[in-house]
Amino acid sequence: MTSLSKQEQVECREKAEYANVNWDELGFAVTETDYMYVMKFTEEEQTFCNGTLTRFGNIQMCPSSGILNYGQGLLEGLKAYRKEDEGILLFRPEENALRMKVGADRMCMPSPTVDQFLDAVKKTVLANKRWVPPHGRGSLYIRPLLMGTGRNLEVKPSSEFTFLVYASPVGNGLKGVLNLMVEDNVRRATPGGTGGVKAVTNYSPIYKPLTEAKAKGFSDLLYLDALTGSNIEECSGSNIFILKGNVISTPTTHGTILPGITRKSIMEIASGFGYQVEERAIPINEVFDAEEVFCTGTAKIVKSVASITYQGKRIEYKLGAETLAQKLHATLTGIQTGVIEDKLGWTMVID
C-alpha cells in the first residue's frame, strides 16, 4: 500500500472534522463523546429490536435489576482506527460479536445477532466520528455492554436485557514498561467459573490484590491456576506469552483464561513469521529462563514485560526495538491502521 505524502495527509486532515482534544495526551480513560447506542430485549418481544442512537449520558435502571443485584452482565472491547486517507477501520469486530454470544450463553442471557452487534458498533462509531483520533495518534475504544435490566429479587436470570454501546478516544496503548508480580494467594478464575468469558463479575474481585501490587510499584499481577497454583494463566486484563528460541508459548484457554482476540491475532502473525506457537500449561518456573515475555490485549495491544517478581525473586527480560514484541506490535498496528495491507481479511471499513 502506497502511503500518502505529508502534504496529502495535511489536506485530508483539513477536510475532516475533529473534536477539540489534545490527541497527544490521551491515555486509557473515559472521554465523554456525543452518542451511544441502546437496544432492548423485553419479555413481550423475546428478541432484541428497536435499537437507537441517543445522546451519551446516564441511564435509568430499576434498583432490583439483574446487573445491579446479581452481576448478570458482559462487556466487550474493540477499537476503530483512522487511516491516512481519513477512512475508518474496525479490527475483527465479528470476533467480539461471537465472543459475546458465547458469554451470553454462559450467563443465561440472550445476545444480539452478529449483524445486530456489527450494526450497533458501526452506528456508534459513525455518530462519534469526530472523536476518532487522527491517523497514528490513538483510536476510538468501543465498549459494548450486555446487561440484565429486568426487575428481579429472586436469584434467577433477568427477563429483560439491555445492549448498550458507548465509545471513548484513547491513546496508543498503555504507557510505561510492565513490571509484573505473581499473585500467589488470590486466584483470578476457577474451573467451571466465568474466567473464560468477559463477565463483569471477573474484574472487581482482583481489585484488592491489584491495588496492593500497584502500591508497591508493580504494573499488574500475573495470576496462577486455581487447581495447582503452579501454572501461569493471565494478567488482570491481558493474555501473556513467553519466548524461548524459536518457540512462543501461551497458556491454553480451557475455561479459566479469556480467549483474547489480540491474542489470537498475534498467534497467527507470529506463525507467519516462522515461529512455533504453542498453547499449553506453562509452569511458573519457566518464566525464569524466558528470553522475552509480552502481554496482549485490546488496551495494551502488544507490550513487552520488563520484569516478573515471584516470591521475592525478580527476573528481567529483553526490551527495545529489536524485540519480537516490537515487531509484532508494529505489524498488528500496521494492519489495524491500514498502513500494512490486510491479507487476512481482519479489518472492516465503515465509512
Side-chain angles (χ1 to χ4, degrees):
M1 179 177 179
T2 303
S3 298
L4 298 179
S5 68
K6 289 185 178 181
Q7 181 59 35
E8 287 172 325
Q9 292 179 40
V10 170
E11 290 173 356
C12 282
R13 288 177 181 143
E14 287 176 348
K15 296 174 185 176
E17 178 192 358
Y18 286 101
N20 184 21
V21 174
N22 185 344
W23 304 110
D24 298 321
E25 295 298 321
L26 284 175
F28 192 78
V30 175
T31 297
E32 184 173 325
T33 52
D34 297 324
Y35 294 94
M36 60 187 186
Y37 183 95
V38 180
M39 183 166 57
K40 300 281 189 177
F41 177 105
T42 64
E43 196 169 14
E44 295 75 26
E45 294 288 343
Q46 285 295 300
T47 185
F48 279 100
C49 59
N50 302 320
T52 58
L53 285 166
T54 184
R55 296 295 297 187
F56 180 93
N58 296 337
I59 59 174
Q60 286 191 321
M61 196 176 296
C62 178
S64 67
S65 63
I67 182 70
L68 294 180
N69 287 258
Y70 301 115
Q72 192 180 23
L74 293 165
L75 59 89
E76 275 296 331
L78 65 158
K79 291 177 178 177
Y81 300 85
R82 184 87 65 169
K83 297 168 61 181
E84 287 183 311
D85 64 3
E86 294 297 337
I88 296 175
L89 293 175
L90 290 173
F91 182 72
R92 309 190 79 173
E94 68 287 343
E95 294 286 339
N96 295 90
L98 292 169
R99 189 168 66 181
M100 176 167 275
K101 290 181 72 68
V102 171
D105 181 68
R106 174 64 181 84
M107 299 293 286
C108 206
M109 307 169 76
S111 68
T113 66
V114 172
D115 286 343
Q116 285 176 323
F117 184 101
L118 296 178
D119 181 64
V121 168
K122 290 176 186 177
K123 285 178 177 175
T124 303
V125 174
L126 292 175
N128 295 296
K129 187 175 180 179
R130 70 194 189 99
W131 297 94
V132 182
H135 175 77
R137 298 171 73 185
S139 58
L140 185 70
Y141 184 86
I142 307 150
R143 171 55 57 83
L145 294 170
L146 181 59
M147 304 173 286
T149 47
R151 299 168 182 263
N152 224 18
L153 194 58
E154 186 181 350
V155 179
K156 66 177 184 179
S158 182
S159 58
E160 297 186 359
F161 300 86
T162 299
F163 176 63
L164 186 151
V165 184
Y166 69 92
S168 174
V170 297
N172 286 319
L174 302 181
K175 297 178 181 179
V177 298
L178 290 179
N179 290 293
L180 307 181
M181 184 180 79
V182 177
E183 173 51 54
D184 212 13
N185 296 306
V186 176
R187 303 294 183 247
R188 177 191 168 273
T190 58
T194 59
V197 300
K198 285 189 75 70
V200 298
T201 49
N202 289 351
Y203 298 91
S204 57
I206 55 91
Y207 286 173
K208 181 176 174 59
L210 180 59
T211 300
E212 292 172 349
K214 289 189 173 183
K216 296 175 183 176
F218 294 100
S219 312
D220 201 350
L221 291 171
L222 175 59
Y223 298 91
L224 301 175
D225 74 292
L227 287 180
T228 71
S230 61
N231 297 319
I232 64 172
E233 291 215 321
E234 62 179 326
C235 297
S236 302
S238 59
N239 297 116
I240 191 163
F241 290 80
I242 68 171
L243 172 67
K244 295 182 182 181
N246 196 54
V247 180
I248 300 170
S249 302
T250 190
T252 306
T253 56
H254 46 53
T256 58
I257 297 173
L258 186 73
I261 295 163
T262 307
R263 171 187 183 273
K264 179 179 180 179
S265 304
I266 285 302
M267 290 171 68
E268 294 185 49
I269 293 172
S271 294
F273 287 167
Y275 286 88
Q276 179 182 335
V277 181
E278 298 180 342
E279 292 181 88
R280 61 181 177 84
I282 303 176
I284 180 61
N285 290 337
E286 287 197 28
V287 306
F288 296 158
D289 58 356
E291 297 165 29
E292 277 187 53
V293 178
F294 55 90
C295 292
T296 64
T298 303
K300 289 184 173 69
I301 309 175
V302 183
K303 195 166 184 63
S304 293
V305 172
S307 71
I308 294 178
T309 299
Y310 177 54
Q311 295 181 344
K313 181 179 180 180
R314 178 185 171 99
I315 310 101
E316 297 185 346
Y317 305 100
K318 182 180 178 182
L319 299 173
E322 301 305 315
T323 58
L324 173 61
Q326 286 297 313
K327 183 179 179 182
L328 291 169
H329 182 278
T331 301
L332 181 60
T333 56
I335 294 171
Q336 290 172 331
T337 58
V339 173
I340 295 175
E341 181 182 358
D342 177 15
K343 297 180 180 180
L344 299 168
W346 285 348
T347 55
M348 178 183 293
V349 180
I350 62 168
D351 70 329

